[in-house]
Amino acid sequence: MNTNAVIAIHGGAGTILRASMSASVEADYHAALHAALAAGQRVLADGGSALDAVSEAVRLLEDCPLFNAGRGSVYTAAGTHELDAAIMDGSTLEAGAICCVKRVRNPILAARRVLERSEHVLFTGEGAESFAAAQGLEFVEPEYFHTEARHRQWLLARDRNRAMLDHDGATFAASSFATNNDDPAPREPIDPNRKFGTVGAVALDLHGHVAAATSTGGVTNKQVGRVGDTPLIGAGCYADDATCAVSTTGSGEMFMRMVAAYDVAAQMAYRSVSLQEAAHDVVMNRLPKIDGRGGLIAVDARGNIALPFNTEGMYRGFARHGEMPVTAIYR
Ligand code: ASP
């Protein structure tokens, strides 16, 4: 039994500016991260697989409207939602992913079914939805994904006629998520730092296997049909028992060009560097060279974890076997 079992999660790199974050919104984020970690930790403690633990943690984060995945996803340029997700099992190198789905309640569960029940790895759009329907997964009306905060964020991005990474309108989101807030107007202009949503989980189970899962609504005001790094194995999600499991968040186009998740694993395999060193190099050295902003979470088969980000913050946390979950937002 590998008692180094651990789960780590993220809810996006880039956060609401500290100055704009109210105590109650901050507490809501910590509570949501804590709940997802505790659920994943329970799966691991019961002897469940890393794959089950990351599926469950990401499913919960998808259901939480605070994060840009599942309910609470950002809007496309057409005022719709298109969701992407991927999952990978480090013990078998099996993977499943879906992109551009509009009505699947939990994209991560669809990705999981692709991993388990399809000979293919990635389904898109209509084909992904037909596959999910045939698997008996839950479908919802598009309005299910709507939140006031993301809708206003989209209107802002649309008026400026540009795509915007989630949390660009972070102050917006902060004011909209705040309870008892009777001032719906944003208090500050859009943060010039790019901000990202997306959720992910990586885990090492008691049997010594790792897995990774990532899910997103993408970027605000993205063109219809745009696919980012999240559902691409090697870019936004990767897992191999021999090296590590990785889930990313950030400017998807740059993470794709850097094959960011796989690069962490490849550096460990080919350069024999530690998880920490490989993850740091990708996030702090390689991605910034092409203006790639964001972060990642990673775990190796010995239970080491790395949670680097090059943005102001990253919603994140980890829970080791038998210990209290730890959550954090800022540096
Ligand atoms: N990486 C995601 C994408 O480009 C965005 C994010 O992490 O918020 O779709």
Side-chain angles (χ1 to χ4, degrees):
M1 192 166 86
N2 187 328
T3 51
N4 293 327
V6 61
I7 179 163
I9 62 172
H10 70 76
T15 56
I16 294 172
L17 286 179
R18 196 167 222 158
S20 312
M21 175 78 96
S22 74
S24 80
V25 173
E26 190 165 347
D28 288 348
Y29 275 103
H30 280 290
L33 292 169
H34 191 281
L37 282 169
Q41 194 180 32
R42 266 196 305 277
V43 171
L44 295 176
D46 291 345
S49 66
L51 198 63
D52 282 342
V54 297
S55 303
E56 181 58 5
V58 168
R59 186 187 69 80
L60 289 171
L61 293 168
E62 286 180 341
D63 282 352
C64 175
L66 291 173
F67 303 105
N68 170 25
R71 187 157 165 249
S73 283
V74 298
Y75 281 81
T76 68
T80 55
H81 300 283
E82 293 188 350
L83 283 51
D84 308 331
I87 189 164
M88 186 160 184
D89 183 347
S91 66
T92 58
L93 300 187
E94 286 172 337
I98 49 114
C99 61
C100 295
V101 296
K102 297 178 177 157
R103 293 189 306 122
V104 178
R105 172 174 168 162
N106 290 109
I108 200 62
L109 299 184
R112 175 83 188 257
R113 292 296 175 91
V114 176
L115 180 154
E116 287 173 338
R117 305 205 184 156
S118 166
E119 60 179 313
H120 305 303
V121 170
L122 172 61
F123 284 100
T124 180
E126 268 174 42
E129 298 210 326
S130 311
F131 176 82
Q135 293 294 319
L137 292 179
E138 186 177 346
F139 275 59
V140 290
E141 292 305 317
E143 299 77 58
Y144 166 82
F145 299 110
H146 167 87
T147 52
E148 254 331 285
R150 307 283 189 222
H151 191 248
R152 290 162 58 208
Q153 202 174 316
W154 170 55
L155 294 177
L156 188 74
R158 191 189 59 177
D159 291 348
R160 293 181 176 212
N161 196 21
R162 68 179 181 93
M164 179 164 85
L165 285 137
D166 180 45
H167 300 290
D168 259 351
T171 309
F172 240 25
S175 63
S176 298
F177 286 142
T179 43
N180 303 325
N181 179 12
D182 46 20
D183 167 24
R187 293 178 201 120
E188 286 178 17
I190 291 178
D191 173 24
N193 290 316
R194 301 219 145 173
K195 306 286 185 170
F196 319 100
T198 293
V199 305
V202 293
L204 166 67
D205 62 30
L206 291 171
H207 317 288
H209 301 305
V210 299
T214 315
S215 179
T216 191
V219 294
T220 296
N221 207 37
K222 65 184 180 182
Q223 287 187 33
V224 168
R226 177 266 187 188
V227 178
D229 59 324
T230 302
L232 301 185
I233 297 303
C237 182
Y238 191 72
D240 181 354
D241 280 1
T243 50
C244 61
V246 182
S247 170
T248 70
T249 172
S251 42
E253 281 69 11
M254 288 70 176
F255 281 68
M256 289 154 82
R257 288 159 58 198
M258 279 292 170
V259 201
Y262 180 70
D263 196 45
V264 177
Q267 290 205 31
M268 290 176 73
Y270 305 148
R271 290 178 57 215
S272 302
V273 296
S274 67
L275 177 77
Q276 198 71 36
E277 203 176 318
H280 180 91
D281 184 56
V282 169
V283 174
M284 302 302 184
N285 301 331
R286 294 178 64 74
L287 281 163
K289 281 189 190 140
I290 55 167
D291 199 25
R293 290 179 51 74
L296 60 82
I297 55 172
V299 62
D300 70 16
R302 282 184 293 188
N304 296 305
I305 55 172
L307 316 167
F309 53 94
N310 61 30
T311 45
E312 171 159 332
M314 178 167 77
Y315 299 105
R316 64 197 185 279
F318 62 91
R320 293 194 177 281
H321 185 57
E323 294 178 17
M324 284 291 288
V326 176
T327 61
I329 299 178
Y330 300 100
R331 283 181 191 286

